């Protein structure tokens, strides 16, 4: 695992050096890669959320889907949804051992 990480780090360093030689600011590259990383994490979390609903018994799953549809896609902007997202983020941090990307 360490050898693979070293190769990835060396590749990343080389790419950043090449970009700098072409006149691209390192901060621009970092902003793009960080945004992509966040999108991938968001997609993974959305899939995890779907799996939680899919894991319910049929009646409960139908009820959960109906509730989600009634609340709309932006449930997190409501008080209850924001609290659920906050709690889920805290749970994720505990599962990750408090490490952040």
């Amino acid at each position: 695992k360490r050898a693979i990480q070293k190769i990835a780090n060396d590749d990343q360093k080389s790419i950043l050096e090449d970009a700098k030689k072409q006149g691209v600011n390192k901060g621009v590259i970092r902003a793009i890669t960080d945004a992509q990383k966040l999108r991938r994490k968001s997609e993974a979390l959305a899939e995890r959320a779907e799996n939680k609903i899919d894991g319910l018994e049929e009646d409960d799953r139908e009820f959960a889907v109906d509730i989600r549809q009634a609340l709309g896609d932006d449930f997190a902007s409501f008080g209850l949804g924001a609290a659920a997202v906050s709690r889920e983020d805290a749970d994720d941090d505990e599962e990750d051992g408090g490490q952040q990307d």
Side-chain angles (χ1 to χ4, degrees):
K1 185 175 179 180
R2 288 183 185 166
I4 293 171
Q5 187 63 42
K6 183 178 180 344
I7 292 169
N9 288 343
D10 290 344
D11 287 347
Q12 184 180 26
K13 183 177 179 182
S14 174
I15 291 168
L16 288 172
E17 287 174 0
D18 288 344
K20 186 176 180 180
K21 289 178 186 176
Q22 298 297 321
V24 178
N25 185 331
K26 185 177 177 179
V28 171
I29 300 297
R30 290 278 184 205
I32 292 168
T33 57
D34 288 349
Q36 289 174 329
K37 186 177 185 180
L38 289 171
R39 282 189 195 104
R40 284 192 305 272
K41 186 174 182 176
S42 173
E43 290 169 2
L45 289 173
E47 183 177 336
R48 231 172 100 190
E50 288 299 319
N51 289 340
K52 286 185 178 189
I53 291 174
D54 290 343
L56 295 171
E57 293 181 15
E58 186 175 351
D59 289 343
D60 291 338
R61 182 176 48 248
E62 289 176 13
F63 191 53
V65 169
D66 290 344
I67 291 171
R68 187 178 59 195
Q69 287 175 344
L71 292 172
D73 291 332
D74 197 16
F75 177 57
S77 67
F78 296 111
L80 181 60
V85 169
S86 176
R87 186 182 70 218
E88 184 69 23
D89 287 345
D91 290 347
D92 287 343
D93 288 345
E94 288 175 12
E95 287 176 9
D96 294 339
Q99 297 177 355
Q100 293 189 3
D101 297 330

